[in-house]
Every structure is written in structure tokens, then in C-alpha cells.
Amino acid sequence: MMAQHEARELSSEEETAAGEDLRRGPWTVEEDLLLVNYIAAHGEGRWNALARCAGLKRTGKSCRLRWLNYLRPDVRRGNMTAEEQLLILELHGRWGNRWSKIAQHLPGRTDNEIKNYWRTRVQKHAKHLNCDVNSQQFKDLMRYLWMPRLLERIHRSSPSIDTPDLSAASCVTAVDVSSSSSVDGGGGGAHQPQLLSPLAVATEGSSNAAAMWQQAQMSSGAPPPPTTTTQQLPAAACQSQFDQFGCWSESLPGLAAFYDDVAPPDFDVGGVDSMWGAASCAEDDDPWYTQMLGAL
DNA sequence: AAATAGTACAACCGCCACGGG
DNA sequence: ACCCGTGGCGGTTGTACTATT
């Protein structure tokens, strides 16, 4: 934890920015502590003033970003579950690169994380296939190969199809990082984050951030951080229903309800044409994936 | 063992919208 | 109407880390 921060000395460039007394670059444990403590006591918002009052030599923007993307107690970390991936693909097909809007429907996931996921996973696959990420060919690949595959994975991991209750808030709140389907295609990036949010920590076992947060909350008299739920997206991978419904989401009964939530009933999603996305890197070695890819 | 390539993600940047003075 | 401060968003970069050669 915090290996990156502890391992490197701060360069003089990081000590100050553009001649001002503002720090840049990776956050230190001390800075995180200052920020968490201050927000626990005074709340968030007014970021420039907050940065000054908290004694942080950071811009308000930097503080806000650090809080929202990393220190906030409900930030989830770890690999995207198949359910989350499917949701991202669906919502991106509908809204494009509107990451913050997409993130609103994946509790605990930040727009930055989703954006990174899209760029590193999806665009990588498009590149490997030598096709434009917006091309029809790539959209077809998403629609007919990867999304069914994700549905299949969901179904495999949770075969109880008839679980009708699925709201936007509940569909992706499972936080068992260790047991979620791994989509990390190997390679780099497997290093642990320097500082886990308490939520993630609850499932991973240790963190100074958790203690940091709880301590700050207790000292400020604020309520404890939100507890996690492990409700899983009900699996309902009924690939055959695709033709019937013309939409993957509606082959998942719960997701259909979810779409009623994020879009009015008369919202024209363009049927299957709105659905496209990517597969996980893990599928690079998947015989099924390879076979299907060859058949495309 | 060292060099290189690839990957993931934290952090920064620039732009824009909005509200208050 | 204009200016300024602030917050939010999407795009991009930097770099730690892992895998491969």
C-alpha cells in the first residue's frame, strides 16, 4: 500500500508548480489524511477554499479529483465484473463517451475508472482487430460475440435466472473483488493501489485508508461509512431471447427494469444497434473467443 | 539478468457551463 | 452585458508495474 508514494522521492518539480507553492503529482499519505480529515469534519465542496483551509498545497481541482476518484468511502476498486462490463457496453452504446453519466449507474465506479476501462480494454481490442472502434464491423463484434459472452459469464456465475428485482442501484453493488470474474488480461497494472477506499478494504482486508476514514468520521461525529451489499446481478443470460426481444438488455429481466429507469419507455435506443462494447482481455486466450473471432 | 514492450490507472489539462457580483 | 470564481467533464499523459524476449 502506498508503495508508489513511499518508494519515490519527491522531485523539486513536484514540490512546486509553475513557481507557485502548489504541489503536483502523486498524493502522499499525509495529504490524503489532511483531505479525508477535513472533509469528514466540514464536508466537501468549495474545493479551492477547502484546499487552503485544510492546509493542502494543492489546487481545488486536484483535491476534488483525489476525493472523488480515490478517497471517497464508497469508491469501489478491483476488476470490473461481467455485469458491470455489460452495463458499460450498453450504456456507452446509448450515450457514447458520457462517462460521468454512465458512472452514475455503476455505484462505486468513477467516470475516470470507466473511461480507463474503455480505453485500455475496448480500444485495445479494436486496435488489435485493425478496425475502428466506431466501425460497423467492430459494433457487430461487440453485439454478436462479446456481449453474449458476457451474458454467458453472468449466467454461469449466477444461474438463478428468475430473480426479477434489479434496480439501477442494486445491479452492480456486489463488491466481492476477490471472487469477481477476473478480466485482467495479464500484463501490467496489477499493482495494488496505494490507498484503498474503506469500501474496497472491507473486502480486501487491510488499509490505512479505512482506519483513516473511520477515525476521521468518529472524531467528527459523522455516521459510519456506508456498508456494502453483495447483491449480485441476477443472471438471465438467455441468448436465444435476443432475436425475440431485439435487445440484449431485455433478455435480462432485471436489466429491462433498469432501462425503464435510465430511459423513458418511449426512448428509442435503436434496438440492437445501440449495443456495442468490448470483451475482457482474458478472452484473448479463450478458445471460444478465438473460434468465434475466426468465424467473423 | 537486463532490456524492451505492453498494460492499467492516477493525475493533469483544457474547455465549458453556471451562478454571483 | 460582462467578468470572475468554481465545479464538472472528457481527453490525454506519466509512470509504476508485469510479461516477454
Side-chain angles (χ1 to χ4, degrees):
Chain A
M1 199 84 55
M2 302 303 289
Q4 290 180 338
H5 291 167
E6 292 164 356
R8 60 194 288 272
E9 294 292 327
L10 294 173
S11 69
S12 59
E13 192 174 346
E14 287 168 345
E15 290 290 346
T16 59
E20 300 173 36
D21 193 23
L22 288 176
R23 276 186 37 78
R24 294 176 59 187
W27 282 63
T28 65
V29 180
E30 290 75 22
E31 287 178 310
D32 284 340
L33 193 58
L34 279 174
L35 184 56
V36 168
N37 280 334
Y38 190 89
I39 291 176
H42 302 96
E44 55 184 282
R46 305 276 303 170
W47 293 103
N48 283 334
L50 185 153
R52 284 194 301 270
C53 296
L56 287 160
K57 291 180 164 62
R58 295 274 183 174
T59 65
K61 272 190 173 187
S62 182
C63 292
R64 174 181 166 271
L65 210 61
R66 182 64 177 173
W67 171 254
L68 292 178
N69 287 344
Y70 208 89
L71 296 174
R72 217 174 36 163
D74 58 342
V75 170
R76 289 185 57 195
R77 316 209 72 82
N79 293 327
M80 294 281 183
T81 64
E83 292 90 342
E84 288 174 312
Q85 292 177 62
L86 187 62
L87 208 50
I88 291 171
L89 305 189
E90 289 256 16
L91 295 181
H92 186 278
R94 179 169 303 179
W95 294 325
N97 292 0
R98 301 189 61 183
W99 308 117
S100 63
K101 187 167 184 174
I102 294 172
Q104 287 172 7
H105 297 284
L106 282 94
R109 297 295 186 183
T110 67
D111 55 352
N112 210 33
E113 195 171 11
I114 294 169
K115 181 169 55 182
N116 281 331
Y117 168 79
W118 187 264
R119 290 187 61 81
T120 57
R121 309 288 174 80
V122 181
Q123 294 193 352
K124 185 198 79 172
H125 276 280
K127 187 181 174 184
H128 282 181
L129 294 169
N130 271 334
C131 58
D132 187 275
V133 76
N134 293 314
S135 69
Q136 189 59 46
Q137 185 190 18
F138 193 67
K139 290 179 182 180
D140 287 343
L141 189 71
M142 302 300 124
R143 189 188 314 154
Y144 298 117
L145 298 184
W146 282 332
M147 295 187 77
R149 186 59 165 162
L150 282 171
L151 286 168
E152 185 187 314
R153 283 187 178 193
I154 293 168
H155 181 61
R156 268 209 312 266
S157 65
S158 179
S160 56
I161 299 178
D162 53 349
T163 309
D165 180 31
L166 178 66
S167 67
S170 69
C171 61
V172 286
T173 49
V175 293
D176 187 356
V177 177
S178 61
S179 66
S180 64
S181 60
S182 173
V183 294
D184 192 338
H191 59 282
Q192 292 296 311
Q194 305 102 316
L195 193 62
L196 291 171
S197 76
L199 195 63
V201 166
T203 62
E204 297 205 349
S206 67
S207 163
N208 48 8
M212 191 188 295
W213 174 258
Q214 285 167 359
Q215 192 172 14
Q217 290 287 297
M218 280 176 8
S219 64
S220 67
T227 56
T228 66
T229 62
T230 54
Q231 183 175 1
Q232 295 281 353
L233 181 77
C238 305
Q239 196 165 322
S240 62
Q241 293 187 18
F242 174 76
D243 293 331
Q244 178 183 349
F245 291 109
C247 176
W248 285 113
S249 62
E250 294 187 17
S251 71
L252 288 170
L255 272 180
F258 165 70
Y259 287 117
D260 286 342
D261 179 51
V262 300
D266 58 345
F267 183 76
D268 180 15
V269 298
V272 298
D273 288 333
S274 69
M275 318 304 170
W276 60 290
S280 72
C281 298
E283 285 165 341
D284 288 342
D285 303 324
D286 189 329
W288 181 93
Y289 171 74
T290 307
Q291 182 184 351
M292 293 301 284
L293 202 57
L296 187 67

